[in-house]
Amino acid sequence: MQNQTICKIVESEIDLDKLLEELTQNTTGAVVMFTGLVRGITERKNPHETIQLEYEAYQPMAEKMMQRVADEIRLKWSNIETIAIIQRIGRLNPGKPTVIIACSAAHRDTGVFDAARYGIDRLKEIVPVWKMEIGPEGDAWIEGDYIPKSND
Amino acid sequence: MQNQTICKIVESEIDLDKLLEELTQNTTGAVVMFTGLVRGITERKNPHETIQLEYEAYQPMAEKMMQRVADEIRLKWSNIETIAIIQRIGRLNPGKPTVIIACSAAHRDTGVFDAARYGIDRLKEIVPVWKMEIGPEGDAWIEGDYIPKSND
Amino acid sequence: MKQVTILFFATLRDMTGERRIMKMIPDDMLIAGLKDVLIEEFPRLKDIINSVIVSMNHEFAFNDAPIPSDAEIALFPPVSGG
Amino acid sequence: MKQVTILFFATLRDMTGERRIMKMIPDDMLIAGLKDVLIEEFPRLKDIINSVIVSMNHEFAFNDAPIPSDAEIALFPPVSGG
């Protein structure tokens, strides 16, 4: 079976059980899935309640940059088998999954945890997706703080 | 919402989407799920094909030790919200999930990856579950190598 | 002269009031020159242009990059997905 | 004398041919003493008894532990779940 890379922007719910099957090859013994969700209540920094988040993507570039994140993962952790990077866009309520980074490998000590961690960190740097907080007093774009470099 | 700890031995399939919901509080923004699966083909050490694995647990002690693993996680990473530790037992085919360790937290930089990693490592040390390889030339128990200490 | 497409996302779309515009630019224009042209057209960009991220044909693009014909250029703030 | 239940798992069950036995033991017996009794009853345990893991009432138990009445004691190999 060949190592697969799944990178996509979606507008509907992400089915984790189906995704786990897609991540499973006949040599796979370990899968790490990171899920990011809309927090209803944020306590850190600027404590607030969230009514909804609206996600927007520059889709063709986002999918290309997700592929780049996956390529970087493979360069760093050559034992990773399947990689899935999925960002959901649209209006999402608190509690809803918005992003999944999942990596599979034969064994758990092959970097599969670090690879998933690296994947979500890099996604939040280079994948062109933005979120807007829908609030009782109006809407506000949330801005990141990473400025891409010439090797991104 | 209160931080929950889910520790159980099950004999049926584990529903990841349902589990993700159980892990999600109104403050949750990050979930890491580790899934261990039956490998069809093992290449490391003693390369072989697996037809099936049969898992057996000393159930009441296993659930108590899972609870201990969860307690250890909370001592080390106090920001972890919900913890789920689920071991499936019975006869399982290659590709089937056998164990899940999942941790949720408000943010991804709170130790949620390390906590899940620690959870699966400790489960493989102190939770009394054994697996038998069902092979064409007969069955063979797979033995671990960890000898518990007086503080386990 | 060559034609380029320019896309605006998130706050940049709000500031310019545009999602997508077409522009004719001189053959030897670099990204830096295009930024100057856009500041002239959308004066609100002036204060923030240095923190605006620019991509060209789906790759990050910097001031000294030449612009090919039919380039798709996008302007957006630092990303905040996930 | 007091009664205890002894459970055998995985390879230990295969070696003893037993899943669960009841035993009467002296009041002051420690885990070490119970191991000696079991080796006498199941001679195949002799060679491996030092790598056998013992639990008592669902906690790991070591040679110097006293055994309470009605204890549930289990013998098993190093775990291999996950």
Side-chain angles (χ1 to χ4, degrees), chain A residues 44-60:
Chain A
R44 195 193 268 184
K45 280 184 209 159
N46 161 36
H48 64 282
E49 276 191 49
T50 295
I51 312 297
Q52 277 189 320
L53 291 181
E54 170 133 17
Y55 283 76
E56 175 183 351
Y58 178 15
Q59 184 152 350

Side-chain angles (χ1 to χ4, degrees), chain A residues 116-136:
Chain A
R117 173 75 201 260
Y118 179 86
I120 183 62
D121 288 349
R122 278 298 268 167
L123 178 135
K124 284 172 174 269
E125 289 181 347
I126 65 168
V127 176
V129 175
W130 305 271
K131 58 191 169 206
M132 188 164 65
E133 181 116 22
I134 311 294

